[in-house]
Amino acid sequence: MKCNIDCYGKCQKDVYFDKGCILHCKKNVYSKDWNSGLLSDFFNAFIEYIVEEICSDDNLLNDQFSKEELKTYFRSHQLDNQNFNEVLKNTTFVPSCIHFPTRDRRDTFDYIKVLNLFGKIHFNYCEFYLSSLDLKDTECFFQDCKFHKNWTLFDYGLLENEDNVIYQTCIFNQIVSNYTPEESDKLAVYRYSQFDYTCQFNKSIEFDRVKFNDMLFNTNQYNYLEENT
């Protein structure tokens, strides 16, 4: 039985849970997914997906590395090779329709370590079952994404888009809030507009000790939901 998720061409991976493959199935709490092996299985499948995606454009990596070399590097857990990292920081990665599970930085199969290698990430129609994604020195754009848990905003770099926002046409099912600096006298600072007016919030937006250098909501293209939310 094959996955029935339509992610720009029907996915042909074997079903892992319900009707979705490991990349597209619903995720659970961390302990359950860790014990079942889902998190390590997701990591391995995600590495395969990343390599196929970034190598699908002939000009993206300029044939500097083979697919096998990239897979070996991503799985090495020693992600400090400057030859690889310099190229990846100049690469735009576009994950589409991926359902991201919870994670823990102590795990060898923590996928955020690989995501942090990219200089630009455009999350497209992805779903998130975790509460934050702390990417360092990465320009981000979340388009048509869904967030199932409480979501913490980080001060991502802005990946250029029409509205110049971090989140566009996204659905937040739980509370959205800012990260809290450890020092009591510090403010959480956000350099760029976070949302356009097509984002939907099914709970609340809560901010504390925060400073916005740009408008929280922005819509250069005058995009709005049909009904106010």
Side-chain angles (χ1 to χ4, degrees):
M1 186 176 179
K2 299 298 182 181
C3 177
N4 70 343
I5 300 297
D6 186 4
C7 54
Y8 304 96
K10 288 287 186 181
C11 177
Q12 294 299 308
K13 295 182 180 296
D14 291 336
V15 164
Y16 188 93
F17 174 75
D18 195 12
K19 295 181 181 180
C21 69
I22 188 65
L23 296 177
H24 300 132
C25 68
K26 178 182 177 181
K27 305 308 190 290
N28 306 289
V29 296
Y30 174 81
S31 58
K32 183 175 181 178
D33 284 348
W34 194 96
N35 289 325
S36 70
L38 183 148
L39 296 182
S40 57
D41 289 344
F42 175 87
F43 176 80
N44 288 321
F46 191 46
I47 294 303
E48 297 282 340
Y49 173 85
I50 290 174
V51 172
E52 290 300 321
E53 285 298 308
I54 63 177
C55 292
S56 62
D57 185 340
D58 294 336
N59 296 319
L60 204 57
L61 297 179
N62 296 321
D63 296 324
Q64 296 183 64
F65 309 110
S66 70
K67 290 183 179 181
E68 291 307 315
E69 286 175 325
L70 286 168
K71 292 175 186 177
T72 299
Y73 181 59
F74 289 148
R75 293 190 174 111
S76 69
H77 313 306
Q78 300 293 326
L79 303 176
D80 55 1
N81 186 302
Q82 293 302 312
N83 292 328
F84 281 96
N85 293 351
E86 184 176 348
V87 173
L88 294 170
K89 272 301 176 186
N90 290 303
T91 299
T92 301
F93 173 42
V94 186
S96 294
C97 303
I98 304 298
H99 289 219
F100 289 93
T102 54
R103 43 160 296 275
D104 190 304
R105 61 183 176 82
R106 295 170 294 183
D107 292 330
T108 56
F109 43 77
D110 181 12
Y111 56 84
I112 198 172
K113 297 171 185 176
V114 177
L115 289 180
N116 266 309
L117 297 176
F118 291 95
K120 299 178 181 181
I121 303 180
H122 177 178
F123 294 97
N124 190 40
Y125 287 93
C126 292
E127 299 193 24
F128 297 85
Y129 292 84
L130 62 163
S131 294
S132 64
L133 201 61
D134 188 6
L135 297 172
K136 308 290 187 184
D137 302 319
T138 302
E139 295 178 8
C140 293
F141 179 45
F142 296 81
Q143 185 177 25
D144 293 283
C145 293
K146 184 180 293 185
F147 302 83
H148 295 281
K149 305 295 183 182
N150 290 347
W151 184 252
T152 300
L153 302 176
F154 279 89
D155 184 34
Y156 301 126
L158 177 67
L159 181 58
E160 186 177 350
N161 58 86
E162 289 183 343
D163 283 337
N164 283 329
V165 292
I166 304 296
Y167 302 90
Q168 183 184 76
T169 321
C170 291
I171 298 174
F172 299 88
N173 286 329
Q174 301 297 328
I175 297 171
V176 177
S177 61
N178 63 282
Y179 71 89
T180 303
E182 294 181 0
E183 300 87 347
S184 59
D185 60 338
K186 296 288 187 179
L187 297 178
V189 178
Y190 294 89
R191 294 166 291 167
Y192 305 104
S193 293
Q194 298 296 300
F195 314 106
D196 77 345
Y197 284 99
T198 62
C199 286
Q200 180 178 328
F201 303 88
N202 292 329
K203 283 294 179 66
S204 59
I205 309 176
E206 302 177 4
F207 296 128
D208 180 50
R209 291 164 49 198
V210 60
K211 175 186 177 182
F212 295 100
N213 290 340
D214 207 336
M215 294 181 294
L216 177 60
F217 286 85
N218 185 31
T219 175
N220 292 337
Q221 300 297 314
Y222 300 100
N223 295 322
Y224 298 91
L225 291 171
E226 292 183 2
E227 297 180 2
N228 289 332
T229 302

